Amino acid sequence: MLPKLAWRNIFRQKRRTVLTLMTMTGGFVLSSLSIGWMNGSYSSIILFFTNNRTGQIQVHHEGYLADQSIYSTIDNFEQVGSILDSLPDVRTWAPRIYTGALLALRPAGQSSNVFSSSAAASVIGIDPTREQEATGFSAQILEGEMLTVSDADTSLSSTGQILLGKELAITLEASVGDSLILLSQTANGAVADKRYVVVGTVSTGNTQIDRRTSYITLLDAQNLFALEGEAHEIAVLSRNLDEVDDLTATISGRLSGRNLETDSWKVFAKEFYNGMKADESSLEVMIFIIVLVAAMGVLNTVLMMVLERRREFGVMKAMGTRPGFIVRMIMLEANIMGFISILLGSIISTAGLLFLSKHGIVLDPPLDYGGAVFREMIASISPDCYWIPAICVMLTATIVSWIPALNAAHTEPAKALRTV
Amino acid sequence: MTNEKIIEAKGVIKTYDDSGVPVHAVRGIDYTLMRGEFTAIIGPSGSGKTTFLNVITGLDTPTEGEVWLSGRLLSKMSGNELSDFRRDHIGFVFQAYNLFPVLTVEENVEYIMLLQGVPKEERHSRVMSILEKVGLDDYAQRLPSRLSGGQQQRVAVARAMVSEPSLVIADEPTANLDSKTSGSLLDLMRQLNEDTGMTFLFSTHDEIVMKRAKKLVVLTDGKLDENNPPEEYE
Ligand SMILES: Nc1ncnc2c1ncn2[C@@H]1O[C@H](COP(=O)(O)OP(=O)(O)O)[C@@H](O)[C@H]1O
Ligand SMILES: [Mg+2]
């Protein structure tokens, strides 16, 4: 009875129903696309950040993140690597050594003990092949070329090559082909010093990093700092951003008992992660505004409907219909329209999201997000794009019809019947 | 006719005061309606017929006085009690028919029984038998908009009677109908009154209707006319 009445009432004022459906569907689609687009943007920013630099997951010696000591190493990192290789969700991994050194420039053609400039820098030992596979490192080389892979036979011999961050090269007034002396301390406490040739400069897009970072091969770093077979960090690249939390737990489980810790980007890049979360609140504000505008449109039509049917409510009440019945009827009408809007909205949103996930929106000017530059934002489709707008629509329909429904239910039959 | 009182109004006064200027629509009425009556309240427009009918059926509250319906005092009933009481004891026929436009003839007549929770088969058989009595059994599946005014009002009569209330109230039921249709509607109502013994109270200022009433009550300026005591024809 109630559903039948409500259903037929919806279709008696077709123009208004169409208008209400359009408002609700529009609200759904706008919210849905915003969510898809924002999530897509976040995913691409996160992917950009992690894929080009940090990886989504990192393995360190326990406590390394808190206190980055040269001694906190992953022993036998190759063995850890083969465990990682056995996990299907791991795309690849890259080992790194982090130390610091004093770099001093000896300009080409100058005699051995003349240094024109010097700077303190962090020295990162990377495996050129793995690093290329993991983070596409060579794309960041501005001038010159990538470090060469050591021959397996001569694995213990030094390549003697170094890459300098763009700003570090400027500080040192070094250019490709110049020689540097790297001065530091080994893990045994001995003095490490060695001559390197600048083979290229690196631009990560982050000036902070480029001002103080240099790169040598992992083997060179192991030799120089007496860290044979060891690494400070293994960066893990996951196949799927959504699986990172699960994968982190899996790796952590597989590596237990080794005094290692496994963290996702949410932990080791905490500031970046918090920044992302703060940005999400702007999405919430946006959805709130969309819902508010749609709610006012719907409220308007429900109020008009109640006014127009005033006489009918009077008849219903005269005949002995309880107020609660009328309340439920009107709220059901609004909710049925909400439900139809969700169905329509889902279809339209899916089409829109599919389009935006392929074509995206070109950003002009490009967006610079912590050194990562985005020229195009694409949407990603997730359950969030559907259930959040759906709940918004149903809540709106319920809340907005509540007051008019009460009002209709308290129609005074004597008055309503007099109005012609 | 039995001695059972369907309506008993004592000293009923209704003064409208919405606009600041008090309008004395009903100015002290004592009235009793007995089971089985077929009575017309007559009086010129503005004499207080609608107001009086509203007050004695609980659609409006009296400013003063008491209304007893089938032995129950209206002012003592809660909102839902009053709703349920009207649903179970009073059938309404309105001047403007007021059928639900989205429901078919059958569904309109069925409405009150649905509120009452009457089982489906019983609903159907009762709807069809009352529609047959008002001569509209062939129109059960039509929407009201596809019926003439006279047909719609016959559906309204069927709707008012189908749940066998103790009283059928009709406020100027023929005001929107031509004289021929009015006459046949009243003939139908009187026939139903005689067949079922159901009580009818209606208002009118239409000669055709008055002639068919068993009893006339004259209302003038919100009072029962002392010089025209209730007449009874038989
Ligand atoms: N809601 C109201 N507010 C003020 N005056 C009213 C209202 N309803 C009816 N009246 C007045 O009360 C008087 C009686 O009206 P009514 O009961 O409709 O008489 P009838 O049905 O006999 O035409 C009229 O003068 C009418 O104008
Ligand atoms: Mg009237």
Side-chain angles (χ1 to χ4, degrees):
Chain A
M1 173 68 178
L2 204 67
K4 183 163 69 185
L5 257 179
W7 178 255
R8 292 197 198 159
N9 280 329
I10 289 172
F11 293 101
R12 60 199 280 189
Q13 263 280 357
K14 295 203 177 56
R15 239 174 59 101
R16 190 171 48 223
T17 301
V18 166
L19 213 71
T20 312
L21 288 178
M22 270 167 53
T23 312
M24 286 177 159
T25 306
F28 182 99
V29 172
L30 275 180
S31 312
S32 174
L33 294 185
S34 306
I35 292 168
W37 196 64
M38 286 288 210
N39 281 349
S41 308
Y42 292 149
S43 306
S44 53
I45 290 171
I46 293 163
L47 276 176
F48 186 93
F49 180 83
T50 53
N51 278 349
N52 290 291
R53 206 174 298 160
T54 63
Q56 287 85 40
I57 299 168
Q58 290 182 354
V59 179
H60 301 101
H61 187 272
E62 217 164 86
Y64 180 80
L65 275 182
D67 174 22
Q68 307 197 346
S69 150
I70 186 174
Y71 309 109
S72 300
T73 55
I74 303 166
D75 295 330
N76 202 348
F77 75 88
E78 295 278 7
Q79 200 183 13
V80 173
S82 60
I83 292 174
L84 293 174
D85 281 332
S86 71
L87 299 172
D89 279 337
V90 172
R91 181 168 69 78
T92 186
W93 54 273
R96 289 149 184 187
I97 282 180
Y98 290 92
T99 59
L102 186 73
L103 302 182
L105 179 74
R106 183 164 56 197
Q110 291 288 333
S111 63
S112 59
N113 283 327
V114 178
F115 299 107
S116 59
S117 60
S118 64
S122 64
V123 179
I124 305 180
I126 57 173
D127 176 332
T129 315
R130 285 204 161 272
E131 201 63 41
Q132 178 60 27
E133 218 181 279
T135 61
F137 192 88
S138 66
Q140 300 174 15
I141 296 200
L142 203 62
E143 265 183 274
E145 51 199 41
M146 182 63 172
L147 302 169
T148 334
V149 189
S150 325
D151 248 328
D153 306 331
T154 59
S155 64
L156 287 178
S157 70
S158 167
T159 61
Q161 297 174 341
I162 193 165
L163 290 166
L164 298 178
K166 182 180 151 210
E167 277 78 16
L168 180 61
I170 293 169
T171 310
L172 286 168
E173 295 168 359
S175 35
V176 175
D178 286 349
S179 286
L180 289 172
I181 296 293
L182 192 154
L183 211 65
S184 189
Q185 202 178 23
T186 69
N188 317 328
V191 172
D193 92 283
K194 196 159 169 30
R195 196 178 69 86
Y196 286 88
V197 176
V198 179
V199 293
T201 57
V202 175
S203 171
T204 60
N206 184 327
T207 320
Q208 300 272 37
I209 292 177
D210 294 340
R211 185 170 290 136
R212 56 172 165 74
T213 310
S214 63
Y215 308 84
I216 60 178
T217 66
L218 188 75
L219 282 171
D220 276 1
Q222 287 173 339
N223 290 340
L224 181 64
F225 297 103
L227 292 170
E228 278 80 12
E230 295 170 68
H232 289 117
E233 172 178 294
I234 295 178
V236 180
L237 279 296
S238 158
R239 285 191 196 281
N240 185 350
L241 195 57
D242 298 331
E243 304 292 328
V244 165
D245 289 336
D246 289 345
L247 184 57
T248 306
T250 308
I251 293 173
S252 183
R254 297 292 292 270
L255 296 181
S256 67
R258 287 172 184 263
N259 275 338
L260 298 177
E261 66 174 67
T262 309
D263 301 296
S264 81
W265 65 277
K266 294 174 189 173
V267 174
F268 64 74
K270 213 179 192 70
E271 281 173 28
F272 174 74
Y273 177 59
N274 289 339
M276 296 262 75
K277 279 213 298 207
D279 259 24
E280 265 171 21
S281 63
S282 70
L283 174 64
E284 280 157 22
V285 170
M286 189 158 147
I287 290 175
F288 181 75
I289 291 170
I290 294 170
V291 168
L292 206 66
V293 170
M296 296 207 290
V298 177
L299 177 65
N300 191 38
T301 56
V302 179
L303 277 175
M304 266 170 51
M305 177 275 280
V306 168
L307 283 179
E308 275 171 27
R309 275 160 57 190
R310 175 72 64 200
R311 187 185 180 82
E312 198 172 306
F313 300 136
V315 172
M316 289 176 86
K317 288 201 70 180
M319 287 170 54
T321 310
R322 286 184 173 200
F325 184 90
I326 296 174
V327 170
R328 276 177 283 143
M329 180 178 75
I330 292 170
M331 294 188 63
L332 190 60
E333 287 174 25
N335 278 292
I336 290 174
M337 287 196 278
F339 188 72
I340 296 173
S341 301
I342 290 171
L343 293 183
L344 287 175
S346 300
I347 295 168
I348 298 170
S349 295
T350 304
L353 286 167
L354 281 175
F355 181 83
L356 283 178
S357 68
K358 296 233 163 56
H359 301 282
I361 291 174
V362 177
L363 296 178
D364 188 25
L367 173 72
D368 189 320
Y369 200 97
V373 177
F374 298 91
R375 290 190 171 74
E376 195 187 29
M377 291 271 139
I378 60 165
S380 80
I381 308 179
S382 68
D384 286 7
C385 303
Y386 297 94
W387 72 262
I388 294 174
I391 286 182
C392 287
V393 166
M394 288 323 264
L395 277 181
T396 305
T398 305
I399 293 169
V400 149
S401 57
W402 174 244
I403 303 281
L406 279 185
N407 182 284
H410 290 106
T411 299
E412 293 176 38
K415 274 197 190 136
L417 285 165
R418 267 186 204 276
T419 56
V420 182
Chain B
M1 206 173 293
T2 66
N3 293 326
E4 192 189 333
K5 288 174 183 169
I6 298 291
I7 294 174
E8 194 172 14
K10 295 180 185 166
V12 168
I13 293 175
K14 178 70 187 182
T15 307
Y16 294 108
D17 206 3
D18 328 321
S19 56
V21 186
V23 179
H24 303 282
V26 172
R27 304 193 293 173
I29 293 183
D30 296 305
Y31 175 71
T32 304
L33 178 75
M34 306 301 287
R35 174 175 288 284
E37 282 192 32
F38 191 76
T39 299
I41 298 179
I42 61 170
S45 185
S47 57
K49 303 183 294 296
T50 299
T51 305
F52 183 61
L53 289 180
N54 284 346
V55 166
I56 60 175
T57 51
L59 296 185
D60 212 342
T61 48
T63 314
E64 271 179 53
E66 285 182 353
V67 177
W68 297 78
L69 261 175
S70 299
R72 295 191 60 188
L73 185 59
L74 281 190
S75 58
K76 285 276 188 297
M77 291 193 212
S78 72
N80 276 343
E81 271 179 333
L82 201 57
S83 283
D84 293 354
F85 186 87
R86 277 202 301 270
R87 181 193 70 196
D88 297 338
H89 296 281
I90 309 176
F92 285 91
V93 178
F94 306 97
Q95 176 180 329
Y97 328 135
N98 286 331
L99 300 175
F100 298 124
V102 295
L103 298 183
T104 63
V105 165
E106 175 173 4
E107 288 161 347
N108 263 286
V109 177
E110 201 182 13
Y111 179 79
I112 289 171
M113 289 191 291
L114 273 159
L115 294 183
Q116 289 173 324
V118 175
K120 191 181 166 83
E121 290 81 49
E122 190 185 338
R123 283 199 316 259
H124 183 73
S125 66
R126 275 163 71 175
V127 168
M128 290 325 285
S129 101
I130 193 87
L131 282 180
E132 204 175 315
K133 284 193 185 122
V134 301
L136 287 172
D137 43 338
D138 290 342
Y139 296 80
Q141 299 313 319
R142 287 217 186 169
L143 286 176
S145 55
R146 295 190 51 227
L147 299 180
S148 71
Q151 287 171 327
Q152 286 190 52
Q153 200 61 310
R154 269 147 68 196
V155 175
V157 170
R159 175 174 72 171
M161 293 184 62
V162 70
S163 61
E164 293 168 7
S166 23
L167 170 66
V168 174
I169 292 281
D171 189 8
E172 307 215 28
T174 60
N176 291 5
L177 302 176
D178 62 49
S179 53
K180 189 164 165 274
T181 318
S182 299
S184 64
L185 183 82
L186 255 290
D187 289 339
L188 172 71
M189 284 165 66
R190 176 133 181 191
Q191 189 62 51
L192 291 166
N193 165 258
E194 271 156 19
D195 291 352
T196 63
M198 215 177 278
T199 314
F200 283 77
L201 178 63
F202 47 91
S203 74
T204 190
H205 54 258
D206 184 345
E207 288 282 336
I208 299 163
V209 177
M210 290 179 212
K211 270 192 231 154
R212 286 165 169 85
K214 286 189 195 164
K215 187 171 171 182
L216 292 178
V217 174
V218 183
L219 200 60
T220 321
D221 284 339
K223 284 186 146 174
L224 294 185
D225 199 325
E226 304 289 330
N227 303 323
N228 284 303
E231 287 179 64
E232 274 191 57
Y233 311 80
E234 215 47 68

